[in-house]
Amino acid sequence: MQELELKIGWLYPTLMSTYGDRGNVITIQRRCQWRDIPVTIIPLDAQTEAETFYQVDIIVGGGAQDRQQEIVMRDLQGKKAAAMKEQLSAGIPGVFTCGSPQLLGHYYEPAFGQRIEGLGLLDLVSKHPGPNAKRCIGNVVFEITASPLAEEIKAMTGEKPLVIGFENHGGRTYLQTVSPLGKVITGYGNNGEDGYEGAFYHNAIATYAHGPLLPKNPFLADWLIQKALEQKYQKPIFLTKLDDSLALKARFAMFERLELTGVTNKA
Ligand code: GLN
């Protein structure tokens, strides 16, 4: 039998890992290792050549403050942006948090200074309403509605595809033609107005929910791993089940705390 292995590309680890975003990388790594699938973590940053972007099987990007985000957005423009666009458009999966989706859109207007051009990969724009505007901070719960992700997660878990996360952002994101990732049940989501959370493009998940996203929602981690391996080996992949009882208990405790046990009914 062919040995499987996975290469995680981690976008700008030192500039973009606020609020526990590193947790997403660790979760993918550990869930592979528990299944005896070796993992290599490859930083994708200012020292990396654009060619390296083609060598990874999955891309993880975290959040950043506006200043760091500007440095990253400038460094990515050109060959690296083209490589990332090509990879994600070909179906390489990714999970992009907070500042990362902002930089995958057309532009981000920070609280201070000039508009920063994004990669234009996701048809969305992000704007900070100014230094006096309230930040969007707190627990967020949303139901995944993006297709086919929602159906695939339902088939995998037998449950409604509910995601629990934590958000902390000043910028507000407005989707144009790209699909939302989900519908907000509690929290702000993309902008606190239209009820949408995140965006979904091919196999890339963009969300305001920070780095505990994958530990709190292990089915999303498995979906990403499965897609990455299927894309890499071009064959169906069946992952062995792991014991997620602790994560499920934590999810239930959060639903209780947020008085949302009523929405967790079976799909
Ligand atoms: N610059 C962004 C904002 O405040 C992103 C913040 C973050 O990634 N936590 O909107």
Side-chain angles (χ1 to χ4, degrees), residues 5-264:
E5 57 103 20
L6 193 81
K7 291 192 178 66
I8 305 176
W10 185 3
L11 287 177
Y12 302 84
T14 52
L15 292 173
M16 304 194 76
S17 186
T18 50
Y19 314 114
D21 290 331
R22 192 172 144 258
N24 284 341
V25 177
I26 297 170
T27 305
I28 296 172
Q29 179 188 30
R30 294 301 287 145
R31 292 182 78 82
C32 284
Q33 289 169 340
W34 285 330
R35 295 171 164 122
D36 296 321
I37 302 170
V39 169
T40 315
I41 298 173
I42 301 177
L44 301 174
D45 58 18
Q47 278 74 50
T48 312
E49 299 293 326
E51 287 65 48
T52 310
F53 282 68
Y54 291 105
Q55 290 159 15
V56 301
D57 308 311
I58 184 165
I59 303 177
V60 183
Q65 301 310 316
D66 287 6
R67 230 187 117 251
Q68 282 80 359
Q69 207 168 315
E70 190 178 348
I71 301 170
V72 167
M73 281 162 112
R74 289 196 199 296
D75 186 65
L76 272 178
Q77 297 295 349
K79 280 190 183 160
K80 292 182 190 176
M84 197 149 103
K85 270 187 197 172
E86 220 179 291
Q87 282 283 72
L88 295 178
S89 304
I92 293 289
V95 57
F96 301 96
T97 304
C98 204
S100 282
Q102 293 177 353
L103 65 84
L104 293 180
H106 295 295
Y107 60 81
Y108 173 56
E109 287 178 2
F112 298 98
Q114 302 278 311
R115 175 187 278 196
I116 311 167
E117 291 307 314
L119 307 189
L121 183 60
L122 301 180
D123 194 11
L124 57 83
V125 299
S126 304
K127 305 172 192 189
H128 196 299
N132 297 327
K134 209 172 143 213
R135 285 184 74 79
C136 304
I137 304 179
N139 292 303
V140 57
V141 175
F142 60 93
E143 178 172 352
I144 295 176
T145 51
S147 191
L149 178 65
E151 295 76 26
E152 290 176 5
I153 298 285
K154 273 187 220 163
M156 203 167 158
T157 62
E159 310 254 339
K160 215 187 248 187
L162 295 180
V163 173
I164 304 180
F166 177 78
E167 58 183 330
N168 187 343
H169 51 109
R172 273 64 164 172
T173 290
Y174 300 91
L175 305 181
Q176 293 176 349
T177 56
V178 67
S179 312
L181 176 62
K183 252 183 1 209
V184 174
I185 294 172
T186 186
Y188 297 90
N190 286 347
N191 51 49
E193 296 159 37
D194 60 22
Y196 291 132
E197 208 306 306
F200 186 66
Y201 173 80
H202 290 269
N203 288 323
I205 292 174
T207 176
Y208 271 115
H210 271 289
L213 174 78
L214 298 184
K216 280 182 177 164
N217 305 280
F219 50 86
L220 273 185
D222 283 357
W223 183 87
L224 288 163
I225 295 168
Q226 189 175 344
K227 286 285 164 198
L229 294 173
E230 286 184 343
Q231 185 72 20
K232 180 177 177 123
Y233 295 102
Q234 292 294 309
K235 63 174 189 184
I237 298 286
F238 302 96
L239 296 176
T240 46
K241 263 192 108 48
L242 297 176
D243 176 8
D244 283 327
S245 47
L246 273 178
L248 296 181
K249 262 192 199 165
R251 280 171 67 78
F252 190 72
M254 275 311 290
F255 284 128
E256 266 189 330
R257 196 190 301 170
L258 298 170
E259 299 180 3
L260 285 175
T261 45
V263 297
T264 60

